[in-house]
Amino acid sequence: MPPQSPLEHPDRFVRRHIGPDEQEVAEMLRTVGAASLDELIEQTIPKTIRVRQPLRLPPAKTELELLDLAQSLAARNDPWRSFLGMGYSDCVTPPVIQRNVLENPGWYTQYTPYQAEVSQGRLEALLAFQTMVGDLTALPIANASLLDEATAAAEAMHMMESFRGADDRRALFLSESCHPQTIEVVKTRAEAHAIEVVTGDPRAFDFTKKVFGVIVQYPATDGAIDDWREVVERAHAGGAMVAMACDLLALALIVPPGELGADIAVGSAQRFGVPLGYGGPHAAFFACKSEFVRRLPGRIIGVSTDSHGKPALRMALQTREQHIRREKATSNVCTAQALLANVAAMYAVYHGPAGIRAIAERVQTLALALASGLRSLGVTVARRDFFDTLRIEGDPSKVEAWLSAARSRKMNLRRIDARSIGIALDETTSAAEVDSLLGVFGEGRGPIPACEDLARQSSARDRPAYARTSPYLTHPVFNEHHSETEMLRYLRRLEGRDISLVHSMIPLGSCTMKLNATAEMMPITWSRFSRIHPFAPVEQAQGYQAVIRQLEAMLSEITGFPAISLQPNSGAQGELAGLLVIRKHHQSRREGHRDVCLIPASAHGTNPASATMAGMRVVVVACDEMGYIEVGDLEAKAKEHAKDLAAFMVTYPSTYGVFEEPIERICAIVHEHGGQVYLDGANLNAQVGLCRPADMGADVCHVNLHKTFCIPHGGGGPGMGPIGVAQHLARFLPGHPVIDPFDHAASGGRGGRRDERIGPISAAPWGSASILLISWAYIAMMGPDGLKRASEVAILNANYVADRLHPSFPVFYRGKRGRVAHECILDTRGVKRTAGVEVDDIAKRLMDYGYHAPTMSFPIAGTLMVEPTESEAKAELDRFCEAMIAIRAEIRAIEEGALPRDDNPLKHAPHTAEAIASSDWKHPYSREQAVFPTHWTRDRKFWPAVGRINNALGDRNLICTCPPFAP
């Protein structure tokens, strides 16, 4: 893009983000046979939906201008010292982990580890996370993280519900001592499934009634530690399962849930080194008894062996996940919080069991000292047994005075009710802060005791009676890396076992693995963004509020929807939120019976899973031989279900990589029969600046910020899935029980009454707020012209790859004018017949060429879906194409008999350094062909850490904690 003015800064961000320069664009246009980008776009996108006016967004900022602006907004945040608790704690991110994991593109640009042979580093870290969780909860099975504690509790509800069988139990008992956001998120999910939520004191409840499950908080939201054994026994006797929402650090000192008899434990690993970030992203955990493993939501990392008999890691039991089970899934979990789970796991590795216990003991000692000091001042501390949180009681006038005194010291205390407040301490709390807290309550009361003196006076008898005696973190990985030197080397060793965007293009269709620019990432770890509690008063987060308002306005302009909710913290969460909004809309019109959701056969697995989670019945709409939705079948089924039609879910451009011409007619058909149109925004990268979902007739659209808008995938998470909605749906967008987002952000005037909105979707008001900075920065630096250019080049790159590879691997679907959208599907099925080569063989062989495979066997079995993105330069596209062409030549050698079907480079891929160094080389192809098939692999070789992994063995012999080292 040439400068528009002689005064324009020459080093514009758009030049850094978009890979091909003007000359390369011209060369690629010649290859695809288009005279210009405009002509290519005219041939790709239906004319009737094209946007003719530029996006109404501010001009692009340079990186320097953006960082200066971010600094000025950070200065508007005023991070008071928050003692609010409720599942969020300030903590210390060890610098060696912050610099080498959280801020390291070798860790944050990895993809979900579906190709396990080139993902062994992050798989090992996630296995350590599972082991850490299993040890601390004393439950044998744990997953590799969920989104946040509240949604993890909701997943526990669904899991317990799935075990009720034909029983008529339709109620969940939810302890009133749970965090308020957890209670409300669980209620949001329960309503869609017609589950009655009963809240109260579990110690006084009769579980022989209609309850299938129980959720309690441990310790309670006000800090109390209760011995839940008697409650668990009564619940089990009454036929109910029990889940405990736990504090992971507290479990270092108190009896763990597994020893109390709990079936499930959930919670947040945030305080294990993950910054507050105004609400996220944070890794939640979910652990359970072994017999429940096949219904465990999310991803599980398991141990298997590779083709050489060496231990190797992989994602286990994938057939239970939503992308396989679709509408039969009991969960729609798609995005995990892998990057944050890795940070938490490495925090445990770095500190080890002794270090974790010492941190926990120090926090509790400070809490005991504070309690002792308060009692000496005549202040009522309500609970005898606690870990880090105190409940202080007094008459309303005292409560007001205490809160006022705390505010004068720039301290946030929690108002529990009119007569009580909460004070939660954490790893960063100092003795001086405890002294200041005592000063809040001791004004005018004479001498105030000092924390140091109070701590020395505390003794073992002051600690809770429920002390833990069982060991944890006993595996060597938690006991060998406690110096920074050893930790640094361990982190680098893990990083070196993974392919990420620092090595090569990751050409995954429907996943959009584009540049995550350094300037976009920098602000998230600045202390004025990272150390703000999500429930701090918004006056202390005005910088965040400005970012939120601006990002809402940006996404509104890009999508065409007048109202935006930033709360959903994954794409699947966005789907669920959007469908619940549609459900609420129908209920408001006294049409709550509408529960049919039409979904094309080509849809992502999360679509039918989310519809089921929203309480809808899924009806599949057929696609024709060209991959298009069969409009006749849609019309027939919309008519058939007209009385009950709630929604139609459509991905646009389609999962088959084409812009369907009659999209406006499709939307009109749904509207004519009383339904609403949900547009899955997974493929928005082909639309920005070129067309808008709202203009096509859609009513709701979720936006994957971790795809189109550059939040990195982080090895499987974090992500964000905001939704945009039409004006008639705005009043139903999700609220929050602690801080209502519509009281403060840009959509405030369009949010409707609180009783009209659906309940919260995520634990925090604005979801994973800290990573909103990334998308805000990307849009600001690209500007309206740059965003449009990105979409155009994404489409150009996809067509270039499609045309170059079509002679080797035919492109499965094209639009009516012969073009693909931003991705293309390569048909590899023919070589199975001619050479015995499976699509899996091609995927593994690509590793020897230094590439992660494209999306495999989705949406069509035996194919590869490629999405090159706009960030990849022509040279990298050519390398990938040359690799694929070279693999086709190797297949041809098999077809012609030059290589045997069962002993060739594809069948034995990937080749490890250990394998080719072995003296026992008996293959009919050379070592050189195995590992250096092209000239560039000699210069930039990525060595897979293991050979091909035996997936079936790992599922038959499930091991999902760190295995013992061989003697």
Side-chain angles (χ1 to χ4, degrees), residues 802-852:
D803 285 3
R804 281 212 63 189
L805 293 183
H806 183 74
S808 299
F809 298 102
V811 173
F812 211 103
Y813 293 118
R814 292 181 185 268
K816 290 188 175 180
R817 290 176 290 279
R819 300 300 186 187
V820 299
H822 63 311
E823 60 192 9
C824 59
I825 299 175
L826 305 177
D827 190 355
T828 62
R829 297 174 302 175
V831 299
K832 179 178 181 179
R833 182 184 68 257
T834 61
V837 171
E838 306 276 355
V839 66
D840 199 52
D841 299 324
I842 298 171
K844 303 309 178 189
R845 181 57 173 154
L846 268 169
M847 297 175 188
D848 291 326
Y849 287 80
Y851 284 102
H852 191 291

Side-chain angles (χ1 to χ4, degrees), residues 46-98:
K47 185 176 183 180
T48 57
I49 64 170
R50 283 290 308 278
V51 172
R52 299 302 174 183
Q53 300 299 320
L55 291 168
R56 294 172 297 176
L57 294 173
K61 297 186 182 300
T62 66
E63 290 175 298
L64 178 61
E65 290 170 338
L66 183 283
L67 291 172
D68 284 346
L69 175 60
Q71 287 281 14
S72 70
L73 292 177
R76 293 173 59 185
N77 291 329
D78 188 9
W80 288 19
R81 192 64 177 91
S82 287
F83 300 97
L84 298 167
M86 289 186 277
Y88 296 96
S89 302
D90 203 358
C91 61
V92 176
T93 307
V96 66
I97 297 174
Q98 178 172 321

Side-chain angles (χ1 to χ4, degrees), residues 546-667:
V547 169
I548 288 166
R549 287 193 295 270
Q550 290 174 28
L551 182 57
E552 284 186 345
M554 291 167 170
L555 295 178
S556 180
E557 172 64 14
I558 288 167
T559 63
F561 291 111
I564 304 289
S565 171
L566 299 176
Q567 191 178 114
N569 51 2
S570 80
Q573 286 280 85
E575 291 176 7
L576 179 61
L579 291 171
L580 290 178
V581 164
I582 289 172
R583 188 171 179 268
K584 192 78 168 180
H585 163 72
H586 289 309
Q587 290 173 345
S588 75
R589 294 160 55 87
R590 299 183 180 180
E591 294 186 328
H593 61 277
R594 290 185 174 271
D595 65 349
V596 169
C597 186
L598 303 178
I599 301 179
S602 61
H604 295 105
T606 50
N607 284 185
S610 294
T612 300
M613 299 301 291
M616 295 183 181
R617 293 180 290 144
V618 174
V619 174
V620 178
V621 175
C623 294
D624 64 22
E625 67 278 0
M626 294 297 294
Y628 292 123
I629 293 168
E630 282 195 7
V631 177
D633 189 56
L634 169 64
E635 193 158 20
K637 286 174 176 168
K639 185 176 181 179
E640 177 187 354
H641 298 283
K643 291 183 179 180
D644 297 319
L645 181 60
F648 173 64
M649 299 186 81
V650 58
T651 301
Y652 200 76
S654 77
T655 309
Y656 290 146
V658 294
F659 283 90
E660 307 201 40
E661 298 284 335
I663 183 63
E664 293 166 298
R665 175 62 185 143
I666 287 170
C667 293

Side-chain angles (χ1 to χ4, degrees), residues 274-463:
V274 182
L276 285 165
Y278 205 38
H282 306 140
F285 61 85
F286 192 119
C288 66
K289 294 178 178 177
S290 298
E291 56 265 37
F292 307 142
V293 65
R294 291 191 177 272
R295 299 193 190 180
L296 178 64
R299 294 161 183 155
I300 306 173
I301 308 308
V303 181
S304 187
T305 61
D306 74 354
S307 54
H308 310 294
K310 291 179 56 178
L313 308 177
R314 54 180 284 278
M315 292 204 298
L317 301 178
Q318 290 189 55
T319 54
R320 62 182 230 301
E321 291 190 13
Q322 47 75 24
H323 63 281
I324 300 293
R325 291 181 56 79
R326 301 174 72 83
E327 69 271 12
K328 294 181 176 64
T330 56
S331 170
N332 70 337
V333 173
C334 183
T335 305
Q337 301 285 37
L339 177 65
L340 298 316
N342 289 338
V343 169
M346 293 304 103
Y347 180 92
V349 168
Y350 193 42
H351 289 296
I356 295 296
R357 185 174 186 88
I359 292 168
E361 287 179 339
R362 179 183 176 276
V363 172
Q364 190 176 54
T365 297
L366 290 168
L368 288 167
L370 176 60
S372 177
L374 290 170
R375 289 187 181 113
S376 73
L377 294 169
V379 177
T380 301
V381 179
R383 309 301 189 206
R384 177 191 175 278
D385 294 309
F386 51 82
F387 169 58
D388 65 353
T389 301
L390 310 181
R391 181 177 185 135
I392 314 302
E393 295 182 341
D395 62 53
S397 62
K398 285 183 178 178
V399 167
E400 287 299 332
W402 292 333
L403 291 172
S404 177
R407 286 193 292 269
S408 70
R409 289 169 165 82
K410 287 198 167 187
M411 291 179 167
N412 294 318
L413 306 185
R414 177 188 175 191
R415 184 198 297 271
I416 297 175
D417 55 39
R419 294 181 174 273
S420 60
I421 62 175
I423 304 175
L425 307 186
D426 57 52
E427 179 188 4
T428 68
T429 303
S430 67
E433 288 175 332
V434 173
D435 289 337
S436 187
L437 284 167
L438 289 169
V440 167
F441 296 88
E443 287 182 349
R445 291 175 178 265
I448 298 174
C451 177
E452 290 284 353
D453 296 332
L454 294 165
R456 277 193 292 269
Q457 294 165 12
S458 68
S459 64
R461 69 174 177 272
D462 297 317
R463 299 189 184 277

Side-chain angles (χ1 to χ4, degrees), residues 217-284:
Q217 192 85 43
Y218 181 64
T221 189
D222 67 356
I225 297 175
D226 293 298
D227 186 344
W228 292 114
R229 270 175 279 228
E230 186 267 339
V231 168
V232 171
E233 289 170 3
R234 286 196 300 107
H236 285 166
M241 295 173 65
V242 178
M244 299 179 96
C246 311
D247 182 320
L248 210 54
L249 189 63
L251 298 185
L253 299 184
I254 63 177
V255 179
E259 294 176 17
L260 296 175
D263 303 291
I264 299 168
V266 300
S268 172
Q270 178 266 313
R271 68 187 310 171
F272 274 39
V274 182
L276 285 165
Y278 205 38
H282 306 140

Side-chain angles (χ1 to χ4, degrees), residues 615-896:
M616 295 183 181
R617 293 180 290 144
V618 174
V619 174
V620 178
V621 175
C623 294
D624 64 22
E625 67 278 0
M626 294 297 294
Y628 292 123
I629 293 168
E630 282 195 7
V631 177
D633 189 56
L634 169 64
E635 193 158 20
K637 286 174 176 168
K639 185 176 181 179
E640 177 187 354
H641 298 283
K643 291 183 179 180
D644 297 319
L645 181 60
F648 173 64
M649 299 186 81
V650 58
T651 301
Y652 200 76
S654 77
T655 309
Y656 290 146
V658 294
F659 283 90
E660 307 201 40
E661 298 284 335
I663 183 63
E664 293 166 298
R665 175 62 185 143
I666 287 170
C667 293
I669 289 170
V670 176
H671 290 149
E672 286 165 10
H673 293 89
Q676 297 283 285
V677 176
Y678 182 101
L679 193 142
D680 183 325
N683 295 339
L684 202 66
N685 206 44
Q687 292 191 50
V688 180
L690 302 176
C691 54
R692 304 196 305 177
D695 297 345
M696 302 169 200
D699 301 288
V700 185
C701 174
H702 90 263
V703 179
N704 284 329
L705 297 186
H706 51 291
K707 295 182 180 179
T708 301
F709 297 102
C710 294
I711 292 175
H713 285 66
M720 282 289 277
I723 58 171
V725 299
Q727 188 62 55
H728 66 282
L729 299 177
R731 60 194 174 109
F732 306 117
L733 288 172
H736 196 277
V738 183
I739 296 179
D740 193 305
F742 292 102
D743 289 345
H744 304 283
S747 298
R750 299 187 291 271
R753 300 192 315 268
R754 290 192 179 207
D755 61 352
E756 291 182 306
R757 301 172 202 159
I758 66 168
I761 290 294
S762 303
W766 290 279
S768 297
S770 69
I771 55 175
L772 297 175
L773 291 161
I774 300 167
S775 299
W776 166 80
Y778 167 71
I779 296 170
M781 289 191 292
M782 290 293 282
D785 295 335
L787 290 168
K788 178 186 176 187
R789 179 74 166 195
S791 301
E792 292 171 337
V793 174
I795 291 170
L796 172 63
N797 283 2
N799 279 276
Y800 179 74
V801 169
D803 285 3
R804 281 212 63 189
L805 293 183
H806 183 74
S808 299
F809 298 102
V811 173
F812 211 103
Y813 293 118
R814 292 181 185 268
K816 290 188 175 180
R817 290 176 290 279
R819 300 300 186 187
V820 299
H822 63 311
E823 60 192 9
C824 59
I825 299 175
L826 305 177
D827 190 355
T828 62
R829 297 174 302 175
V831 299
K832 179 178 181 179
R833 182 184 68 257
T834 61
V837 171
E838 306 276 355
V839 66
D840 199 52
D841 299 324
I842 298 171
K844 303 309 178 189
R845 181 57 173 154
L846 268 169
M847 297 175 188
D848 291 326
Y849 287 80
Y851 284 102
H852 191 291
T855 302
M856 190 172 67
S857 289
F858 175 81
I860 302 166
T863 64
L864 293 170
M865 184 161 59
V866 181
E867 182 177 351
T869 87
E870 72 274 10
S871 294
E872 300 299 341
K874 181 176 179 293
E876 183 68 4
L877 300 181
D878 285 336
R879 272 189 291 270
F880 172 73
C881 290
E882 288 161 16
M884 290 294 292
I885 292 167
I887 289 171
R888 185 63 184 89
E890 292 173 343
I891 296 171
R892 193 167 296 109
I894 300 169
E895 293 169 334
E896 295 170 353

